[in-house]
Amino acid sequence: MAGSEQDDDVEAGQNITRNKPVDRLVIWLASIVGVCLVAAAAALWAQGGAAVFFEMLVAGIMSCF
């Protein structure tokens, strides 16, 4: 009997760790958006320098309040 309980636990664990295609799509989309945001930040930094980059960040944060 102990063996059958252990088999049930293994099957239940496998169901939890199984990835659905939708989950993978969400992970890929989130990582693509993250890479684009980092690339945009690097482009702003390269174009205007650190002072302009930080001024834009501060202006964006202040516009929220």
Side-chain angles (χ1 to χ4, degrees):
M1 281 193 178
S4 64
E5 290 176 9
Q6 191 175 23
D7 292 339
D8 291 341
D9 291 340
V10 170
E11 290 177 10
Q14 289 174 350
N15 289 336
I16 292 171
T17 60
R18 189 178 308 160
N19 288 335
K20 296 179 184 176
V22 175
D23 295 339
R24 290 181 183 169
L25 178 63
V26 169
I27 291 170
W28 276 104
L29 288 176
S31 59
I32 289 170
V33 167
V35 167
C36 288
L37 288 174
V38 169
L44 284 173
W45 190 296
Q47 182 182 9
V52 174
F53 178 75
F54 286 122
E55 286 177 12
M56 289 183 69
L57 283 176
V58 170
I61 292 171
M62 293 306 291
S63 69
C64 295
F65 299 104

